[in-house]
Amino acid sequence: MVRPKTAVAKGPSLAVVNKSKNQRLSSAERSAYFARREAAKVLRSVLQGDARRRALGSIKTLVYNPSVRNKKATFALVCQTLKHLPIIKDVLEAANILNSKWKRQLELVYIIIYDILFGKEISLAARLLVRRKAKRIEDLVALYQTPDVSKPRYVRVNTLKMDVDSAVLELGKQFTVQKDDMVPDLLILPPGCDLHAHSLVTNGSVFLQGKASSMVAAALAPEPGWKVLDACSAPGNKTVHLAALMKGKGKIIACELNKERVKRLEETIRLSGAASILPHFFLIYRCQCVINGKP
Ligand SMILES: C[S@@+](CC[C@H](N)C(=O)[O-])C[C@H]1O[C@@H](n2cnc3c(N)ncnc32)[C@H](O)[C@@H]1O
């Protein structure tokens, strides 16, 4: 195996590839960028030659093609990537990040992964280890991990089916339950409790609905008799919350663009019990709402 003398990665890797064309690259970045592109082309020829058992030329011959500008760096990149290819392939397989676009540029991906794993980034990581007084990469990663901030679970009581105090009693048999101080029909449960299969959820007495989502209808505070337009309604959590606050008097015009999501909206309305209690309450439109001429 040829051992190149040059340091291979002299510029940022993925960052360079992803830089928008409008942003100017420094000359070092530009040369690293071209070296990677050129190395990928050479690598493709080498690997295709291997696959067909018919080499299109030695790496040197391919690199000395006049179209290759940065011959030293390209040669080094190709050799080093080939040397580490089994590891690179393993990493790619484990990471499972190849989409169809990247699969078409597999050789470039190999080169970039080489750079990330064994090129300049390693020395950056080493510098970081010293700076953060960490002995191993794992310790460094742990230093950067944000503490697990546990978020409470919220459920909104569907007052068309159940009153808030009964829901507190029922859920209180299993969990510690608190009433939210901003949204009257919202309950706070401990982080991590899974209510998906709870009978109050499956029968539509409570909805798994976050605080931000539940605040919308509460902030509007519609009164019975109002006519309310829900312009983007599926899956319908806010639609049925409005229905509960309006106690069945008035009208809700629920619009939804997506045909499949209209089905979800109808299912939410059915689950909430609103459709049977208030048969003429909802008007569901599969439409694109147009406001001031704009969708
Ligand atoms: C974030 S969801 C709405 C969530 C809903 N308000 C709730 O609380 O359950 C946005 C919905 O708006 C629909 N949508 C987007 N643009 C729309 C348009 N111009 N007209 C009608 N529906 C639209 C989308 O298909 C999607 O189902």
Side-chain angles (χ1 to χ4, degrees):
M1 175 57 66
V2 196
R3 277 208 165 269
K5 288 177 209 138
T6 44
V8 178
K10 287 197 170 159
S13 48
L14 280 169
V16 174
V17 177
N18 287 334
K19 253 192 186 181
S20 113
K21 279 180 187 156
N22 303 333
Q23 283 174 278
R24 287 233 168 123
L25 301 176
S26 73
S27 66
E29 283 175 338
R30 218 177 8 253
S31 98
Y33 174 80
F34 283 116
R36 283 183 195 103
R37 292 256 160 212
E38 287 164 349
K41 253 195 215 166
V42 172
L43 188 60
R44 171 167 287 198
S45 303
V46 173
L47 294 177
Q48 279 176 351
D50 270 6
R52 293 184 197 133
R53 295 183 182 280
R54 192 158 55 86
L56 301 174
S58 70
I59 301 175
K60 259 200 180 135
T61 318
L62 292 166
V63 166
Y64 276 89
N65 185 307
S67 72
V68 177
R69 305 186 207 187
N70 192 340
K71 299 190 190 312
K72 248 184 178 176
T74 306
F75 182 70
L77 262 176
V78 174
C79 293
Q80 289 299 304
T81 304
L82 278 171
K83 181 177 161 188
H84 295 90
L85 201 53
I87 304 177
I88 294 171
K89 283 185 173 173
D90 263 7
V91 167
L92 267 175
E93 198 188 316
N96 194 19
I97 50 167
L98 279 180
N99 58 22
S100 49
K101 179 186 156 200
W102 284 115
K103 273 182 189 156
R104 286 196 295 275
Q105 307 185 64
L106 201 52
E107 297 76 17
L108 182 60
V109 175
Y110 289 156
I111 300 275
I112 292 170
I113 302 279
Y114 161 75
D115 238 1
I116 292 171
L117 291 178
F118 306 104
K120 180 189 168 196
E121 322 298 334
I122 277 290
S123 58
L124 282 182
R127 263 187 268 166
L128 218 48
L129 279 170
V130 175
R131 201 189 314 151
R132 301 295 302 258
K133 296 190 175 71
K135 284 200 178 112
R136 299 170 310 150
I137 288 285
E138 289 82 355
D139 302 336
L140 193 62
V141 172
L143 283 175
Y144 281 86
Q145 250 149 22
T146 46
D148 179 24
V149 184
S150 304
K151 291 189 197 124
R153 291 284 152 100
Y154 288 95
V155 297
R156 181 180 61 77
V157 183
N158 173 20
T159 50
L160 293 170
K161 281 199 168 173
M162 187 178 217
D163 64 79
V164 175
D165 289 329
S166 307
V168 172
L169 269 181
E170 195 54 35
L171 293 168
K173 291 177 187 167
Q174 270 179 274
F175 311 102
T176 313
V177 187
Q178 273 176 276
K179 289 183 188 174
D180 187 75
D181 51 8
M182 285 176 85
V183 184
D185 40 7
L186 194 67
L187 302 179
I188 311 169
L189 281 85
C193 59
D194 186 357
L195 283 141
H196 284 88
H198 196 285
S199 59
L200 291 190
V201 173
T202 54
N203 71 19
S205 299
V206 303
F207 278 81
L208 299 176
Q209 191 170 345
K211 181 158 177 168
S213 167
S214 305
M215 281 167 73
V216 177
L220 184 67
E223 286 170 20
W226 278 26
K227 203 173 192 181
V228 181
L229 171 72
D230 185 346
C232 297
S233 49
N237 290 325
K238 296 182 193 85
T239 319
V240 295
H241 192 185
L242 289 166
L245 296 176
M246 289 160 71
K247 301 188 170 88
K249 293 198 181 79
K251 199 160 264 326
I252 294 177
I253 302 156
C255 303
E256 174 51 50
L257 182 64
N258 182 300
K259 194 176 167 189
E260 284 308 305
R261 290 175 66 83
V262 167
K263 288 187 199 149
R264 281 199 65 192
L265 170 64
E266 287 171 338
E267 173 54 23
T268 307
I269 292 173
R270 191 200 59 73
L271 185 67
S272 75
S276 52
I277 305 169
L278 325 155
H280 305 294
F281 193 61
F282 292 99
L283 282 177
I284 299 172
Y285 288 112
R286 186 163 92 74
C287 68
Q288 191 166 2
C289 289
V290 178
I291 296 165
N292 289 341
K294 288 182 188 151

